[in-house]
Amino acid sequence: MKNRFVILVLLLFVVSCTRLLPKPGDEALNSYIQNKVDKAEVVGMQAAYLKNGKLTWHRSYGIKNAETNEPVDDETLFMIASSSKPVTATAIMHMADLGKLDIDADINLYLPFEIRNPNFPAEMITPRMLLSHTSSLKDDWDTLDPLYTIEEGGDSPIPLAEFVPGYFLKGGQYYNENTNFHAKKPGNHWDYCNMGYVILGYIIQEVSGKPFEQYMYEDFFEPLGMTNSYWFLRDIPHENIARPHEPVKKGIPEVLPHYGYPDFPDGQLRTTVSDYARFLEIFLNDGLSNGVQFLKPETVKEFLKIQYPSVHKHQAIAWNYNEMENFLYYRFIPHFPSHTGGDPGVATVVSFDPKTRTAAIVFMNSRPDNFLQVKNTYLDIVKRLMRAAL
């Protein structure tokens, strides 16, 4: 389900893309975005931009639950799907900075069992490969989709320590040699892989000696001042959470329950744009955020560097410079490091320019389901936010 929004068909009305945008300014920006929200039939949204490496503007729109009409506010949590991946990746890079792991070592140095691609049993898989989607591991959606708790709601009851070996070890409940692995050597083939980030989450858990979510709360969110970010519903101390919505006929959205999945390090984070902005500061300020040098400046540069140019010319660590995968989109927006997220009732996009130290963040609790809605949200709003940030 975490499909990176390759649905960005963006067969756009090109003339409308080139119209003169409103002049910069908070009220003009708010009016512009509200108009786009209405056109795209977005149920609820938070948007923000960072300027000079700091959160400068953020605003909330719409409702968090179409059944109750409760409005979204600036403290409303949004599930952000795959835009969680850069957070998990940053935790790995932070551990590398502290000397706790080597991203070019065999992942099996950090796991209590051995993961190999059975098609290449002598080839090691490294954290760098997992971080850049070149590990030769594969998502089997026939297995993963049914594990979403959409019917019953709530967190998945399956722990990482059960799920990871169950998927990658022969004889495991979710193991399939044909569907869980590519027939191409690790480091020689790019394929977007959620399960690679699940392994990274498990490595964080094993290296830290803490449950993944506990490590993230104590050693990641707390020093960055991210006080309203959570991996599990059970840990959220309030009810201010945007419900996911799927489009149905006649413009009436279907309200989904809050749900989870066992591969949660790849996409289950619930947060706000203001909290996520704290995280993004790392990449706009040479690793510094909330007064903490969270990553070394040279680590940030490595993070944003294309990792395997001969394999994929746009893939950095977590961030992708061609995230929208559409040449029309990039007629109007440069190739910035970006990430999107898509799950049932969830749509997000994050994009930033490390040179100008600007960024745009958009979280929604409904998914666009036609090219005009995609244009209004993924192109127009992001472009307008990036322009406002200059």
Side-chain angles (χ1 to χ4, degrees), residues 179-362:
T179 60
N180 296 6
F181 306 91
H182 283 287
K184 294 191 177 181
K185 188 186 300 186
N188 286 264
H189 171 69
W190 183 92
D191 184 53
Y192 187 85
C193 184
N194 291 280
M195 287 304 300
Y197 274 74
V198 181
I199 296 174
L200 291 169
Y202 194 51
I203 287 174
I204 290 169
Q205 182 164 291
E206 287 295 303
V207 171
S208 69
K210 301 177 182 180
F212 170 81
E213 68 277 14
Q214 181 183 345
Y215 175 84
M216 297 299 291
Y217 296 147
E218 295 175 356
D219 297 75
F220 195 108
F221 297 154
E222 185 175 336
L224 293 179
M226 297 173 66
T227 58
N228 202 12
S229 298
Y230 305 92
W231 290 97
F232 286 103
L233 291 162
R234 64 173 180 255
D235 295 330
I236 302 173
H238 57 77
E239 301 295 325
N240 192 4
I241 314 168
R243 288 278 291 272
H245 296 73
E246 286 285 77
V248 295
K249 293 180 179 179
K250 298 181 180 180
I252 301 173
E254 176 190 5
V255 184
L256 302 181
H258 296 303
Y259 61 84
Y261 33 78
D263 49 309
F264 64 91
D266 66 21
Q268 194 174 276
L269 183 62
R270 290 177 172 89
T271 187
T272 64
V273 291
S274 53
D275 254 32
Y276 201 92
R278 295 267 190 170
F279 161 66
L280 271 189
E281 286 182 21
I282 293 170
F283 300 96
L284 304 180
N285 300 299
D286 292 326
L288 183 69
S289 176
N290 197 38
V292 176
Q293 191 68 47
F294 198 75
L295 291 183
K296 298 174 183 177
E298 56 268 30
T299 302
V300 175
K301 290 180 181 178
E302 182 64 28
F303 212 119
L304 300 179
K305 186 177 78 174
I306 303 304
Q307 294 298 298
Y308 294 89
S310 63
V311 176
H312 196 292
K313 63 181 181 179
H314 296 292
Q315 183 66 62
I317 288 176
W319 305 109
N320 193 301
Y321 288 81
N322 193 45
E323 179 71 2
M324 307 308 173
E325 296 182 324
N326 189 281
F327 75 96
L328 283 175
Y329 182 94
Y330 291 108
R331 286 189 61 185
F332 306 103
I333 289 184
H335 286 268
F336 295 135
S338 305
H339 216 294
T340 55
D343 260 326
V346 175
T348 63
V349 59
V350 181
S351 190
F352 64 96
D353 182 355
K355 293 181 179 178
T356 61
R357 301 173 61 219
T358 57
I361 310 170
V362 177

Side-chain angles (χ1 to χ4, degrees), residues 124-173:
M124 73 176 184
I125 297 169
T126 68
R128 188 186 296 273
M129 294 173 186
L130 300 176
L131 291 163
S132 58
H133 303 291
T134 58
S135 65
S136 80
L137 305 179
K138 189 177 181 181
D139 298 329
D140 175 13
W141 286 108
D142 287 340
T143 294
L144 298 177
D145 272 349
L147 297 178
Y148 278 62
T149 65
I150 291 177
E151 294 298 321
E152 65 274 28
D155 298 319
S156 170
I158 305 171
L160 280 179
E162 175 185 325
F163 182 62
V164 176
Y167 190 92
F168 288 110
L169 299 188
K170 191 171 184 177
Q173 182 178 355

